[in-house]
Amino acid sequence: MINRPKILKHILHPWNVSPGNAIEIQKRLAGHISRKAEPMCIRSVGGMDVCYREDSARAAVVVMSYPELDLLDSAVVTESVDFPYVPGLLSFREGPVILKAIDRLNSVPDLLIFDGHGIAHPRRFGIASHIGLLLNIPSIGCAKTRLCGHHSDLNRKQGSYSFLADQGETIGAVLRTRADVKPLYVSIGHRIDLSVGIRFVLTCCRGYRLPETTRLADRLARF
DNA sequence: GCGACAG
DNA sequence: ATCTTGTCGC
């Protein structure tokens, strides 16, 4: 049974654009992001990561059952990259190869967990929001470091968190996924709300700092 | 002008 | 992210 994701054709855009053009695209598409939870049954979660070597980028995407977290499917794609890394424009560098990898899956996950921010972004349109919107799949941003926003200190015990705020609005949460280690920056990607996203991330971490999907994808993408 | 800056 | 040197814990 093949069930490939369908990219939203009406909002598809070119990727080989100038940084200034990319910013305009982000501002336009940010208005399409839904920050609300939807009645949904999550039976599988997807995760992805990208590794680089010289001019090549390799994306790995995995699909795991939820909540068991057994591997169901995976895909790896390697191709050259042109767009440079620019803080705030990560999706224009990693988006193309990630979409190709997802397109090779035999089943579409019910939820996508990204290695990067969702709306915890200067224009509220990080890579988790961008790809989640194009594929119309609920998504969560899970970044290891901060891009923007501020927060108060949090306890060192697992599960504690504090909200990440920027320009007067809550854009995410800083979550202690494992006691006494650096917290994770969790934010809404698309079609989910923050509290639900936090719960999903916690149940995907199994005692580690990062979600199992991210850990496995990183392993598969390694050169 | 200066500091900050996902991967 | 990747590279690289040194240190620490299991």
Side-chain angles (χ1 to χ4, degrees), chain A residues 171-204:
Chain A
I171 60 174
V174 191
L175 175 67
R176 193 80 72 180
T177 54
R178 176 179 177 166
D180 301 316
V181 300
K182 287 185 56 177
L184 231 44
Y185 292 76
V186 179
S187 59
I188 293 169
H190 183 47
R191 295 176 57 184
I192 198 167
D193 70 32
L194 187 54
S195 60
V196 171
I198 290 174
R199 198 174 80 252
F200 273 121
V201 171
L202 280 175
T203 55
C204 284

Side-chain angles (χ1 to χ4, degrees), chain A residues 124-164:
Chain A
R124 310 293 182 259
F125 200 68
I127 189 168
S129 296
H130 198 156
I131 306 303
L133 174 66
L134 293 184
L135 297 178
N136 194 27
I137 296 175
S139 62
I140 300 172
C142 219
K144 295 183 288 296
T145 62
R146 182 187 69 89
L147 209 205
C148 67
H150 299 82
H151 64 88
S152 55
D153 295 329
L154 59 157
N155 301 314
R156 339 44 174 106
K157 61 177 300 183
Q158 178 197 128
S160 63
Y161 66 84
S162 55
F163 291 111
L164 182 64

Side-chain angles (χ1 to χ4, degrees), chain A residues 2-179:
Chain A
I2 305 298
N3 180 25
R4 298 187 181 291
K6 58 292 175 190
I7 292 179
L8 261 35
K9 295 289 169 55
H10 63 290
I11 55 178
L12 196 48
H13 59 78
W15 293 96
N16 186 28
V17 298
S18 67
N21 201 321
I23 289 175
E24 291 310 308
I25 291 173
Q26 291 182 325
K27 289 179 178 177
R28 175 165 54 83
L29 296 185
H32 296 262
I33 292 300
S34 167
R35 306 183 181 186
K36 305 297 293 182
E38 298 174 19
M40 53 180 167
C41 180
I42 302 300
R43 297 187 55 186
S44 66
V45 294
M48 58 287 291
D49 197 22
V50 181
C51 289
Y52 300 89
R53 191 182 65 178
E54 297 176 2
D55 287 350
S56 292
R58 173 179 292 166
V61 54
V62 302
V63 181
M64 299 178 120
S65 61
Y66 186 88
E68 301 83 3
L69 302 183
D70 293 323
L71 181 63
L72 298 178
D73 195 8
S74 68
V76 178
V77 171
T78 303
E79 67 177 20
S80 63
V81 285
D82 292 320
F83 206 95
Y85 168 67
V86 179
L89 300 180
L90 179 65
S91 59
F92 285 85
R93 177 170 168 78
E94 303 193 339
V97 67
I98 284 177
L99 288 174
K100 280 190 178 181
I102 293 177
D103 193 51
R104 290 196 184 185
L105 292 173
N106 290 309
S107 61
V108 182
D110 298 324
L111 173 70
L112 295 173
I113 297 181
F114 284 82
D115 192 344
H117 293 101
I119 64 171
H121 175 281
R123 290 168 291 282
R124 310 293 182 259
F125 200 68
I127 189 168
S129 296
H130 198 156
I131 306 303
L133 174 66
L134 293 184
L135 297 178
N136 194 27
I137 296 175
S139 62
I140 300 172
C142 219
K144 295 183 288 296
T145 62
R146 182 187 69 89
L147 209 205
C148 67
H150 299 82
H151 64 88
S152 55
D153 295 329
L154 59 157
N155 301 314
R156 339 44 174 106
K157 61 177 300 183
Q158 178 197 128
S160 63
Y161 66 84
S162 55
F163 291 111
L164 182 64
D166 183 49
Q167 301 292 126
E169 72 175 325
T170 297
I171 60 174
V174 191
L175 175 67
R176 193 80 72 180
T177 54
R178 176 179 177 166

